[in-house]
Amino acid sequence: MDFREINIGKLIKTRVEELEIPLERICEYLGNDQQEIQKYYMEKSIDCHLLLKWSKLLEYDFFRVYSQHLILYAPVKRTNIELQSGSNMSYTFRKKLYTSEIIDFVIEQYSSGVMTKRDIIQRYKIPKTTLYKWLVKYHHNKKK
């Protein structure tokens, strides 16, 4: 999955098809008619409350897609407190938590030749040792 461009309607439709949920059940759960449901499948973004309902119905955390986007693509910024006080104190976590989807994405980028190790380290700010551990642990599993 590419986390750069998120089309949430398409992701929802794919999950509905995977689970083979009848359209009538979806309409009843969300309180919408079939045309509205079809419109949701076309949307690039959806209201948070509605996305929560979809997440519950389809038993999938669609908010995680956005979290993973932030981990991969959002630049690390200094906080306003740091800027005002000139302090070097950091309010960011020392260690990032990477989900299995992110690890799979990064390994796939390397395995397919789309990115080199250096590219991955520079673009996603993943520590060198972390990347090498992932490659040893997960890269062999991908080849099987």
Side-chain angles (χ1 to χ4, degrees), residues 24 29 55 84 87 108 121:
E24 295 78 26
Y29 184 81
S55 293
Q84 291 171 356
S87 166
E108 179 62 30
I121 292 166

Side-chain angles (χ1 to χ4, degrees), residues 31-93:
N32 294 107
D33 60 18
Q34 293 182 6
Q35 289 178 333
E36 281 293 313
I37 301 302
Q38 293 300 325
K39 283 183 187 177
Y40 291 145
Y41 294 158
M42 308 287 276
E43 296 291 332
K44 281 192 153 202
S45 64
I46 293 179
D47 177 68
C48 291
H49 182 67
L50 181 58
L51 189 58
L52 181 61
K53 284 184 173 185
W54 278 110
S55 293
K56 289 177 182 178
L57 175 66
L58 302 177
E59 298 175 354
Y60 185 83
D61 182 5
F62 288 103
F63 293 98
R64 180 179 286 183
V65 175
Y66 293 101
S67 298
Q68 291 169 345
H69 175 87
L70 288 174
I71 290 170
L72 291 172
Y73 299 107
V76 178
K77 293 186 178 184
R78 293 176 55 177
T79 63
N80 287 340
I81 295 171
E82 287 178 318
L83 295 174
Q84 291 171 356
S85 66
S87 166
N88 288 335
M89 183 170 26
S90 176
Y91 290 98
T92 59
F93 292 106

